[in-house]
Amino acid sequence: MASNSPKYAGLEARQKLGWWHTNRFLLLRRLSQFSIILMFLSGPLWNIWILKGNYSGSLLLDTIPMADPLMVAEVLATGYRPEWTVLIGAFIIVVFYGVVGSKLFCSWVCPMNIVTDVAAWLRRKLGIRQTAKISRSLRFVILAVILIGSAISGTLLWEWINPVAALGRVFVFGLGATLWLVLVIFLFDLLVAEHGWCGHLCPIGATYALIGAKSLIKVKVVDRSRCDNCMDCYNVCPEPQVLRVPLHGKSGDSTVILSKDCITCGRCIDICAENVFAFGTRFQGSIDVKNI
């Protein structure tokens, strides 16, 4: 089968498997993201404080602290000693995402993912194919610069321009001056670089990539022989390079997507009309190509 146009990615799956099957993990991610936003809003709106704080640091049910690992790393880099509750909050987050799934925060929690997904969808529908060539390693360079800069300046450099926190404030407090950051990222992803922010620049994503590099839940290729090279999975995946080895690798290569760049969004599972992909664990998966 010839590859499909990016504009029609998912059409074959919808026709063959139905609308729900083709969008189920996308809808579940949106439910997760908007539910978390609603938890932050429950206090200001109804005085029921489920999550108090913001995406950089919060308190669940006035009991369980949670803290952004990057923010805590910045604090430690400045030489300040954060409160023990902040350290516990960062520890909880690191353990959860380190054990459960690679970059789950990016696809199931982060509100910026909604913005960048819309930009990617528009790129496909409008047929925008040109994209700037940016190294995917740049996000790790930016992460290192932030930590070094925080150590030198004694300030939390990233928190001045953190678009995730800015978007969170928009939902809770309404439109503000920092909304321009969100608009810039949307236009950057739409017009300059495909999946540019999350895939190439975001230091938060880089942090969670390192945290979840050895996490348990992974996407796996169930059966390579089912693939008809329609390219729909490559067209919708925010990190398409992670699909190559599990899907088209050599005999003995793992059929589990083990790359730390995978955001465990499940979109490739949704979009595949041949049911090539499924969620599994990192311990499943090698294949003998000679037997296919």
Coordinates of all heavy atoms in Angstrom, one line a residue, residues 118-213:
V118 N -3.0 20.9 18.5 CA -3.9 21.7 17.6 C -3.0 22.2 16.5 O -3.4 22.2 15.3 CB -4.6 22.8 18.3 CG1 -5.3 23.7 17.3 CG2 -5.6 22.3 19.3
A119 N -1.8 22.7 16.8 CA -0.9 23.2 15.7 C -0.5 22.1 14.8 O -0.5 22.3 13.6 CB 0.3 23.8 16.4
A120 N -0.2 20.9 15.3 CA 0.1 19.8 14.5 C -1.0 19.4 13.6 O -0.9 19.0 12.4 CB 0.6 18.6 15.3
W121 N -2.2 19.4 14.1 CA -3.4 19.0 13.4 C -3.7 20.0 12.2 O -4.0 19.6 11.1 CB -4.6 19.0 14.3 CG -5.9 18.7 13.6 CD1 -6.4 17.4 13.3 CD2 -6.9 19.6 13.2 NE1 -7.7 17.6 12.7 CE2 -8.0 18.9 12.6 CE3 -7.0 21.0 13.3 CZ2 -9.1 19.5 12.1 CZ3 -8.2 21.6 12.7 CH2 -9.2 20.9 12.1
L122 N -3.5 21.3 12.5 CA -3.7 22.3 11.5 C -2.6 22.2 10.4 O -2.9 22.4 9.2 CB -3.6 23.7 12.1 CG -4.9 24.2 12.7 CD1 -4.6 25.6 13.4 CD2 -6.0 24.4 11.7
R123 N -1.4 21.9 10.8 CA -0.3 21.7 9.8 C -0.7 20.6 8.8 O -0.6 20.7 7.6 CB 1.0 21.2 10.5 CG 1.8 22.4 11.1 CD 3.1 21.8 11.6 NE 4.0 21.5 10.5 CZ 4.9 22.3 10.0 NH1 5.1 23.5 10.5 NH2 5.7 21.9 9.0
R124 N -1.3 19.5 9.3 CA -1.7 18.4 8.4 C -2.9 18.8 7.5 O -2.9 18.5 6.3 CB -2.1 17.1 9.2 CG -0.9 16.5 10.0 CD -1.2 15.1 10.5 NE -2.3 15.1 11.5 CZ -2.2 15.3 12.8 NH1 -1.0 15.4 13.3 NH2 -3.2 15.2 13.6
K125 N -3.8 19.4 8.1 CA -5.0 19.8 7.4 C -4.7 20.9 6.3 O -5.3 20.9 5.2 CB -6.1 20.3 8.3 CG -6.6 19.2 9.2 CD -7.1 18.0 8.5 CE -7.6 16.9 9.4 NZ -7.9 15.6 8.7
L126 N -3.8 21.8 6.6 CA -3.5 22.9 5.7 C -2.4 22.5 4.7 O -2.0 23.2 3.8 CB -3.0 24.1 6.5 CG -4.1 24.8 7.4 CD1 -3.5 25.9 8.2 CD2 -5.3 25.2 6.5
G127 N -1.8 21.3 4.9 CA -0.8 20.8 4.0 C 0.5 21.5 4.2 O 1.3 21.6 3.2
I128 N 0.8 22.0 5.4 CA 2.1 22.7 5.6 C 3.2 21.7 5.9 O 3.2 21.0 6.9 CB 2.0 23.7 6.8 CG1 0.9 24.7 6.6 CG2 3.3 24.3 7.1 CD1 0.6 25.6 7.8
R129 N 4.1 21.5 5.0 CA 5.1 20.5 5.1 C 6.5 21.0 5.4 O 7.4 20.3 5.9 CB 5.2 19.6 3.8 CG 3.9 18.9 3.4 CD 3.4 18.1 4.6 NE 4.3 17.0 5.0 CZ 4.3 16.4 6.1 NH1 3.4 16.8 7.1 NH2 5.1 15.4 6.4
Q130 N 6.8 22.3 5.0 CA 8.1 22.8 5.3 C 8.3 22.9 6.8 O 7.4 23.3 7.6 CB 8.3 24.2 4.6 CG 7.4 25.3 5.2 CD 6.1 25.4 4.6 OE1 5.6 24.5 3.9 NE2 5.4 26.6 4.8
T131 N 9.5 22.6 7.2 CA 9.8 22.7 8.6 C 11.3 23.0 8.9 O 12.1 22.5 8.1 CB 9.4 21.3 9.3 OG1 9.7 21.4 10.7 CG2 10.2 20.2 8.8
A132 N 11.6 23.8 9.8 CA 13.0 24.1 10.2 C 13.7 22.9 10.7 O 13.1 22.1 11.4 CB 13.0 25.3 11.2
K133 N 14.9 22.7 10.4 CA 15.7 21.6 10.9 C 16.4 22.0 12.2 O 17.3 22.8 12.2 CB 16.8 21.2 9.9 CG 16.2 20.8 8.5 CD 15.3 19.6 8.6 CE 14.8 19.1 7.3 NZ 13.9 18.0 7.4
I134 N 15.9 21.4 13.3 CA 16.4 21.7 14.6 C 16.7 20.4 15.3 O 16.0 19.5 15.3 CB 15.3 22.5 15.5 CG1 14.8 23.7 14.7 CG2 15.9 22.8 16.8 CD1 13.6 24.4 15.4
S135 N 17.9 20.4 15.9 CA 18.4 19.2 16.6 C 17.4 18.9 17.8 O 17.1 19.8 18.5 CB 19.8 19.4 17.1 OG 20.2 18.3 17.9
R136 N 17.1 17.6 17.9 CA 16.2 17.2 19.0 C 17.0 17.2 20.3 O 16.5 17.2 21.4 CB 15.7 15.8 18.8 CG 14.6 15.8 17.6 CD 14.0 14.4 17.4 NE 13.1 14.5 16.3 CZ 11.8 14.9 16.4 NH1 11.3 15.2 17.6 NH2 11.0 14.9 15.4
S137 N 18.4 17.3 20.2 CA 19.2 17.4 21.4 C 19.2 18.8 22.0 O 19.7 19.0 23.1 CB 20.6 16.9 21.1 OG 20.7 15.6 20.6
L138 N 18.7 19.7 21.3 CA 18.7 21.1 21.7 C 18.0 21.3 23.0 O 18.4 22.1 23.9 CB 18.1 22.0 20.6 CG 18.2 23.5 20.9 CD1 19.6 24.0 21.2 CD2 17.5 24.3 19.8
R139 N 16.9 20.5 23.3 CA 16.2 20.7 24.5 C 17.0 20.3 25.7 O 16.8 20.9 26.8 CB 14.9 19.8 24.5 CG 15.1 18.4 24.0 CD 13.8 17.7 23.8 NE 14.0 16.5 22.9 CZ 13.1 15.7 22.4 NH1 11.8 16.0 22.7 NH2 13.3 14.7 21.7
F140 N 17.9 19.3 25.5 CA 18.8 19.0 26.6 C 19.9 20.0 26.9 O 20.3 20.3 28.0 CB 19.4 17.6 26.4 CG 18.4 16.5 26.3 CD1 18.0 16.0 25.0 CD2 17.9 16.0 27.4 CE1 17.1 15.0 25.0 CE2 16.9 14.9 27.4 CZ 16.5 14.4 26.1
V141 N 20.3 20.7 25.8 CA 21.2 21.8 25.9 C 20.6 22.9 26.7 O 21.1 23.6 27.6 CB 21.7 22.3 24.5 CG1 22.6 23.5 24.7 CG2 22.5 21.2 23.8
I142 N 19.3 23.2 26.3 CA 18.5 24.3 27.0 C 18.4 24.0 28.5 O 18.5 24.8 29.3 CB 17.2 24.5 26.3 CG1 17.4 25.1 24.9 CG2 16.3 25.4 27.1 CD1 16.1 25.1 24.1
L143 N 18.1 22.7 28.8 CA 18.0 22.3 30.2 C 19.3 22.6 30.9 O 19.2 23.1 32.0 CB 17.6 20.8 30.2 CG 17.6 20.1 31.6 CD1 16.6 20.8 32.5 CD2 17.3 18.6 31.4
A144 N 20.4 22.2 30.3 CA 21.7 22.4 31.0 C 21.9 23.9 31.2 O 22.4 24.4 32.2 CB 22.8 21.8 30.2
V145 N 21.6 24.7 30.2 CA 21.8 26.2 30.2 C 21.0 26.8 31.4 O 21.4 27.6 32.1 CB 21.5 26.8 28.9 CG1 21.4 28.4 29.1 CG2 22.5 26.5 27.9
I146 N 19.7 26.3 31.5 CA 18.8 26.8 32.6 C 19.4 26.5 33.9 O 19.5 27.4 34.8 CB 17.4 26.2 32.4 CG1 16.7 26.7 31.2 CG2 16.6 26.4 33.7 CD1 15.4 26.0 30.9
L147 N 19.9 25.3 34.1 CA 20.5 25.0 35.4 C 21.8 25.7 35.7 O 22.0 26.2 36.8 CB 20.7 23.4 35.5 CG 19.4 22.6 35.4 CD1 19.8 21.1 35.5 CD2 18.5 22.9 36.6
I148 N 22.6 25.8 34.7 CA 23.9 26.6 34.9 C 23.6 28.1 35.1 O 24.2 28.7 36.0 CB 24.8 26.4 33.7 CG1 25.3 24.9 33.6 CG2 26.0 27.3 33.8 CD1 26.0 24.6 32.3
G149 N 22.6 28.6 34.3 CA 22.3 30.0 34.5 C 21.6 30.3 35.8 O 21.9 31.3 36.4
S150 N 20.8 29.4 36.3 CA 20.2 29.5 37.7 C 21.3 29.5 38.8 O 21.3 30.3 39.7 CB 19.2 28.4 37.9 OG 18.1 28.5 37.1
A151 N 22.3 28.7 38.6 CA 23.4 28.6 39.5 C 24.2 29.9 39.6 O 24.6 30.4 40.6 CB 24.3 27.4 39.2
I152 N 24.5 30.5 38.4 CA 25.3 31.7 38.3 C 24.5 32.9 38.7 O 25.0 33.8 39.5 CB 25.7 31.9 36.8 CG1 26.7 30.8 36.4 CG2 26.4 33.2 36.6 CD1 27.1 30.8 34.9
S153 N 23.2 33.0 38.4 CA 22.4 34.2 38.7 C 21.7 34.1 40.0 O 21.4 35.2 40.6 CB 21.3 34.4 37.6 OG 20.4 33.3 37.7
G154 N 21.6 32.9 40.6 CA 20.9 32.8 41.9 C 19.4 33.0 41.7 O 18.7 33.2 42.7
T155 N 18.9 32.9 40.5 CA 17.4 33.0 40.3 C 16.9 31.8 39.5 O 17.7 31.1 38.9 CB 17.1 34.3 39.5 OG1 17.7 34.2 38.2 CG2 17.6 35.5 40.2
L156 N 15.6 31.6 39.6 CA 15.0 30.5 38.8 C 14.7 31.0 37.4 O 13.6 31.5 37.1 CB 13.7 30.1 39.5 CG 13.8 29.7 41.0 CD1 12.5 29.2 41.6 CD2 14.9 28.7 41.3
L157 N 15.6 30.8 36.5 CA 15.6 31.4 35.2 C 14.3 31.0 34.4 O 13.6 31.8 33.8 CB 16.8 31.1 34.4 CG 18.1 31.8 34.8 CD1 19.2 31.5 33.8 CD2 17.9 33.3 34.9
W158 N 14.1 29.7 34.5 CA 13.0 29.1 33.6 C 11.6 29.6 34.1 O 10.7 29.8 33.3 CB 13.1 27.6 33.7 CG 11.9 26.9 32.9 CD1 11.0 26.1 33.5 CD2 11.6 27.0 31.5 NE1 10.1 25.7 32.5 CE2 10.5 26.2 31.3 CE3 12.2 27.7 30.5 CZ2 9.9 26.1 30.0 CZ3 11.6 27.6 29.2 CH2 10.5 26.8 29.0
E159 N 11.5 29.8 35.4 CA 10.2 30.2 35.9 C 9.7 31.6 35.4 O 8.5 31.9 35.5 CB 10.2 30.2 37.4 CG 10.5 28.8 38.0 CD 9.7 27.6 37.3 OE1 8.5 27.7 37.2 OE2 10.4 26.7 36.8
W160 N 10.7 32.4 34.9 CA 10.3 33.7 34.4 C 9.5 33.6 33.1 O 8.6 34.4 32.8 CB 11.5 34.5 34.1 CG 12.2 35.1 35.4 CD1 13.2 34.5 36.0 CD2 11.8 36.2 36.1 NE1 13.5 35.2 37.1 CE2 12.7 36.3 37.2 CE3 10.9 37.2 35.9 CZ2 12.6 37.3 38.1 CZ3 10.8 38.3 36.9 CH2 11.7 38.3 37.9
I161 N 9.8 32.5 32.3 CA 9.1 32.4 31.0 C 8.5 31.0 30.8 O 8.1 30.7 29.7 CB 10.2 32.6 29.9 CG1 11.3 31.6 30.0 CG2 10.7 34.0 29.9 CD1 12.3 31.5 28.8
N162 N 8.3 30.3 31.9 CA 7.7 28.9 31.8 C 6.3 29.0 31.1 O 5.4 29.4 31.8 CB 7.6 28.3 33.2 CG 7.1 26.9 33.1 OD1 6.6 26.4 32.1 ND2 7.3 26.2 34.3
P163 N 6.1 28.5 29.9 CA 4.8 28.6 29.2 C 3.8 27.7 29.8 O 2.6 27.9 29.7 CB 5.1 28.3 27.8 CG 6.3 27.4 27.8 CD 7.1 28.0 29.0
V164 N 4.2 26.6 30.4 CA 3.3 25.6 31.1 C 2.6 26.3 32.3 O 1.4 26.3 32.4 CB 4.0 24.3 31.5 CG1 3.0 23.4 32.3 CG2 4.6 23.6 30.3
A165 N 3.4 26.9 33.1 CA 2.9 27.7 34.2 C 2.0 28.9 33.8 O 1.0 29.2 34.3 CB 4.0 28.2 35.1
A166 N 2.5 29.5 32.7 CA 1.7 30.6 32.1 C 0.3 30.2 31.7 O -0.7 30.9 31.9 CB 2.5 31.3 31.0
L167 N 0.3 29.1 30.9 CA -1.0 28.6 30.5 C -1.9 28.2 31.6 O -3.1 28.4 31.6 CB -0.8 27.4 29.5 CG -2.1 26.9 28.8 CD1 -2.8 28.0 28.1 CD2 -1.7 25.8 27.8
G168 N -1.3 27.6 32.6 CA -2.0 27.2 33.8 C -2.7 28.4 34.5 O -3.8 28.4 34.9
R169 N -1.9 29.5 34.5 CA -2.5 30.8 35.1 C -3.6 31.3 34.3 O -4.5 31.9 34.8 CB -1.3 31.8 35.3 CG -0.4 31.5 36.4 CD 0.6 32.7 36.7 NE 1.4 33.0 35.5 CZ 2.7 32.4 35.4 NH1 3.1 31.6 36.3 NH2 3.4 32.8 34.4
V170 N -3.5 31.1 33.0 CA -4.6 31.6 32.1 C -5.9 30.9 32.5 O -7.0 31.5 32.6 CB -4.3 31.3 30.6 CG1 -5.5 31.5 29.7 CG2 -3.1 32.3 30.2
F171 N -5.8 29.6 32.7 CA -7.0 28.8 33.0 C -7.6 29.2 34.4 O -8.8 29.3 34.6 CB -6.7 27.3 33.0 CG -6.6 26.7 31.6 CD1 -5.4 26.1 31.2 CD2 -7.7 26.7 30.8 CE1 -5.3 25.6 30.0 CE2 -7.6 26.2 29.5 CZ -6.4 25.6 29.1
V172 N -6.7 29.5 35.3 CA -7.2 29.7 36.7 C -7.5 31.2 36.9 O -8.6 31.5 37.5 CB -6.1 29.3 37.7 CG1 -6.5 29.7 39.1 CG2 -5.8 27.8 37.6
F173 N -6.7 32.1 36.3 CA -6.9 33.5 36.6 C -7.4 34.3 35.4 O -7.6 35.5 35.5 CB -5.6 34.2 37.1 CG -5.1 33.5 38.4 CD1 -3.9 32.7 38.3 CD2 -5.7 33.6 39.6 CE1 -3.4 32.1 39.5 CE2 -5.3 33.0 40.7 CZ -4.1 32.3 40.7
G174 N -7.5 33.7 34.3 CA -7.9 34.4 33.1 C -6.8 34.9 32.2 O -5.6 34.7 32.5
L175 N -7.1 35.6 31.1 CA -6.0 36.0 30.2 C -5.1 37.0 30.9 O -5.5 37.9 31.7 CB -6.7 36.7 29.0 CG -7.6 35.8 28.2 CD1 -8.2 36.7 27.0 CD2 -7.0 34.6 27.7
G176 N -3.8 36.8 30.6 CA -2.8 37.7 31.2 C -1.7 38.0 30.3 O -1.7 37.6 29.1
A177 N -0.7 38.7 30.8 CA 0.4 39.1 29.9 C 1.2 38.0 29.4 O 1.8 38.1 28.3 CB 1.3 40.1 30.7
T178 N 1.3 36.9 30.1 CA 2.1 35.8 29.7 C 1.5 34.9 28.6 O 2.1 34.0 28.1 CB 2.4 34.9 30.9 OG1 1.2 34.5 31.6 CG2 3.4 35.6 31.9
L179 N 0.2 35.2 28.2 CA -0.4 34.5 27.2 C 0.3 34.6 25.8 O 0.2 33.6 25.0 CB -1.9 35.0 27.0 CG -2.8 34.1 26.0 CD1 -2.9 32.7 26.5 CD2 -4.1 34.8 25.9
W180 N 1.1 35.6 25.6 CA 1.8 35.7 24.4 C 2.8 34.6 24.2 O 3.1 34.2 23.1 CB 2.6 37.1 24.4 CG 3.7 37.2 25.3 CD1 3.7 37.6 26.6 CD2 5.1 36.8 25.1 NE1 4.9 37.6 27.2 CE2 5.8 37.0 26.3 CE3 5.8 36.2 24.0 CZ2 7.2 36.8 26.4 CZ3 7.1 36.0 24.1 CH2 7.8 36.2 25.3
L181 N 3.3 34.0 25.3 CA 4.2 32.9 25.2 C 3.5 31.7 24.5 O 4.1 31.0 23.7 CB 4.7 32.5 26.6 CG 5.7 33.4 27.3 CD1 5.8 33.0 28.8 CD2 7.0 33.3 26.6
V182 N 2.3 31.5 25.0 CA 1.5 30.3 24.4 C 1.3 30.6 22.9 O 1.4 29.6 22.1 CB 0.2 30.2 25.2 CG1 -0.6 29.1 24.6 CG2 0.5 30.0 26.7
L183 N 0.9 31.8 22.5 CA 0.7 32.1 21.1 C 1.9 32.0 20.3 O 1.9 31.4 19.2 CB 0.1 33.6 21.0 CG -0.2 34.1 19.6 CD1 -1.2 33.2 19.0 CD2 -0.6 35.5 19.6
V184 N 3.1 32.4 20.8 CA 4.3 32.2 20.1 C 4.6 30.8 19.8 O 5.0 30.4 18.7 CB 5.5 32.9 20.9 CG1 6.8 32.5 20.3 CG2 5.3 34.4 20.8
I185 N 4.4 29.9 20.8 CA 4.7 28.5 20.7 C 3.8 27.9 19.7 O 4.2 27.1 18.8 CB 4.6 27.8 22.0 CG1 5.8 28.2 22.9 CG2 4.6 26.2 21.9 CD1 5.7 27.7 24.3
F186 N 2.5 28.3 19.7 CA 1.5 27.8 18.7 C 1.9 28.1 17.3 O 1.9 27.3 16.4 CB 0.1 28.3 19.0 CG -0.9 28.0 18.0 CD1 -1.5 26.8 18.0 CD2 -1.3 29.0 17.1 CE1 -2.4 26.5 17.0 CE2 -2.2 28.7 16.1 CZ -2.8 27.4 16.1
L187 N 2.3 29.4 17.1 CA 2.7 29.8 15.8 C 4.0 29.2 15.3 O 4.2 28.9 14.2 CB 2.8 31.3 15.7 CG 1.5 32.1 15.9 CD1 1.7 33.6 15.9 CD2 0.5 31.7 14.8
F188 N 4.9 29.0 16.3 CA 6.2 28.3 16.0 C 6.0 26.9 15.5 O 6.5 26.5 14.5 CB 7.1 28.3 17.3 CG 8.4 27.6 17.1 CD1 9.4 28.3 16.4 CD2 8.6 26.4 17.6 CE1 10.7 27.7 16.3 CE2 9.8 25.7 17.4 CZ 10.9 26.4 16.7
D189 N 5.1 26.2 16.2 CA 4.8 24.8 15.8 C 4.0 24.7 14.5 O 4.2 23.8 13.7 CB 4.0 24.1 16.9 CG 4.8 23.4 17.9 OD1 5.9 23.9 18.2 OD2 4.4 22.4 18.5
L190 N 3.2 25.7 14.3 CA 2.3 25.7 13.0 C 3.2 26.1 11.8 O 3.0 25.5 10.7 CB 1.2 26.7 13.2 CG 0.2 26.9 12.0 CD1 -0.5 25.6 11.7 CD2 -0.8 28.0 12.3
L191 N 4.0 27.2 11.9 CA 4.6 27.8 10.8 C 6.1 27.5 10.6 O 6.6 27.6 9.5 CB 4.3 29.3 10.8 CG 2.9 29.7 10.8 CD1 2.8 31.2 11.0 CD2 2.1 29.2 9.6
V192 N 6.8 27.2 11.7 CA 8.2 27.1 11.6 C 8.7 25.7 11.7 O 9.4 25.2 10.8 CB 8.9 28.0 12.8 CG1 10.4 27.9 12.7 CG2 8.4 29.4 12.7
A193 N 8.4 25.0 12.7 CA 9.0 23.6 12.9 C 7.9 22.7 13.4 O 7.2 22.9 14.4 CB 10.1 23.6 13.9
E194 N 7.7 21.6 12.7 CA 6.7 20.5 13.0 C 7.1 20.0 14.4 O 8.2 19.5 14.6 CB 6.7 19.5 12.0 CG 5.6 18.4 12.2 CD 5.5 17.5 11.0 OE1 6.5 17.4 10.2 OE2 4.5 16.8 10.9
H195 N 6.1 19.9 15.3 CA 6.4 19.5 16.7 C 7.6 20.2 17.3 O 8.3 19.6 18.0 CB 6.6 17.9 16.7 CG 5.5 17.2 16.1 ND1 4.2 17.2 16.6 CD2 5.4 16.3 15.0 CE1 3.4 16.4 15.9 NE2 4.1 15.9 14.9
G196 N 7.7 21.4 16.9 CA 9.0 22.2 17.3 C 9.2 22.3 18.8 O 10.3 22.1 19.3
W197 N 8.1 22.8 19.5 CA 8.3 23.0 20.9 C 8.6 21.8 21.7 O 9.6 21.6 22.3 CB 7.1 23.8 21.5 CG 7.2 24.0 23.0 CD1 6.5 23.3 23.9 CD2 8.1 24.8 23.7 NE1 6.9 23.7 25.2 CE2 7.9 24.6 25.1 CE3 9.1 25.7 23.3 CZ2 8.6 25.3 26.0 CZ3 9.8 26.3 24.3 CH2 9.6 26.1 25.6
C198 N 7.6 20.9 21.7 CA 7.8 19.6 22.5 C 8.9 18.8 22.0 O 9.6 18.1 22.8 CB 6.5 18.8 22.5 SG 5.1 19.7 23.3
G199 N 9.1 18.7 20.7 CA 10.1 17.7 20.2 C 11.5 18.3 20.1 O 12.4 17.4 19.9
H200 N 11.7 19.6 20.3 CA 13.0 20.1 20.1 C 13.5 21.1 21.1 O 14.7 21.2 21.3 CB 13.1 20.8 18.7 CG 12.8 19.9 17.5 ND1 11.5 19.7 17.1 CD2 13.6 19.2 16.7 CE1 11.5 18.9 16.1 NE2 12.8 18.6 15.8
L201 N 12.6 21.8 21.8 CA 13.0 22.9 22.7 C 12.7 22.7 24.1 O 13.4 23.3 25.0 CB 12.4 24.2 22.1 CG 12.7 24.6 20.7 CD1 12.0 25.9 20.3 CD2 14.2 24.7 20.5
C202 N 11.6 22.1 24.5 CA 11.0 22.2 25.8 C 11.9 21.5 26.9 O 12.1 20.3 26.8 CB 9.6 21.5 25.9 SG 8.9 21.6 27.5
P203 N 12.5 22.3 27.8 CA 13.3 21.7 28.9 C 12.5 20.8 29.9 O 13.1 20.0 30.5 CB 13.9 22.9 29.5 CG 12.9 24.0 29.3 CD 12.3 23.7 28.0
I204 N 11.2 21.1 30.0 CA 10.4 20.3 30.9 C 10.3 18.9 30.3 O 10.5 17.9 31.0 CB 9.0 20.9 31.1 CG1 9.1 22.3 31.8 CG2 8.1 20.0 31.9 CD1 7.8 23.0 31.9
G205 N 10.1 18.8 29.0 CA 10.0 17.5 28.3 C 11.4 16.8 28.4 O 11.4 15.6 28.6
A206 N 12.5 17.5 28.3 CA 13.8 16.9 28.4 C 14.0 16.4 29.8 O 14.5 15.3 30.0 CB 14.9 18.0 28.2
T207 N 13.5 17.1 30.8 CA 13.6 16.6 32.2 C 12.8 15.3 32.4 O 13.3 14.3 32.9 CB 13.0 17.6 33.2 OG1 13.7 18.8 33.0 CG2 13.2 17.1 34.6
Y208 N 11.6 15.2 31.9 CA 10.8 14.0 32.0 C 11.3 12.9 31.1 O 11.1 11.7 31.4 CB 9.3 14.3 31.7 CG 8.6 14.9 32.9 CD1 8.4 16.3 32.9 CD2 8.2 14.2 34.0 CE1 7.8 16.9 34.0 CE2 7.6 14.8 35.1 CZ 7.4 16.1 35.1 OH 6.8 16.7 36.2
A209 N 12.0 13.2 30.0 CA 12.6 12.2 29.2 C 13.7 11.5 30.0 O 13.8 10.2 30.0 CB 13.2 12.8 28.0
L210 N 14.5 12.2 30.8 CA 15.5 11.6 31.6 C 14.9 10.8 32.7 O 15.4 9.7 33.1 CB 16.4 12.7 32.1 CG 17.2 13.5 31.0 CD1 18.0 14.6 31.7 CD2 18.2 12.6 30.3
I211 N 13.9 11.4 33.3 CA 13.2 10.7 34.5 C 12.6 9.4 34.1 O 12.7 8.4 34.8 CB 12.2 11.6 35.1 CG1 12.8 12.8 35.8 CG2 11.3 10.8 36.1 CD1 11.8 13.9 36.3
G212 N 11.9 9.4 32.9 CA 11.2 8.2 32.5 C 11.9 7.3 31.5 O 11.3 6.4 30.9
A213 N 13.2 7.4 31.4 CA 14.0 6.7 30.4 C 13.8 5.1 30.6 O 13.9 4.4 29.7 CB 15.5 7.1 30.5

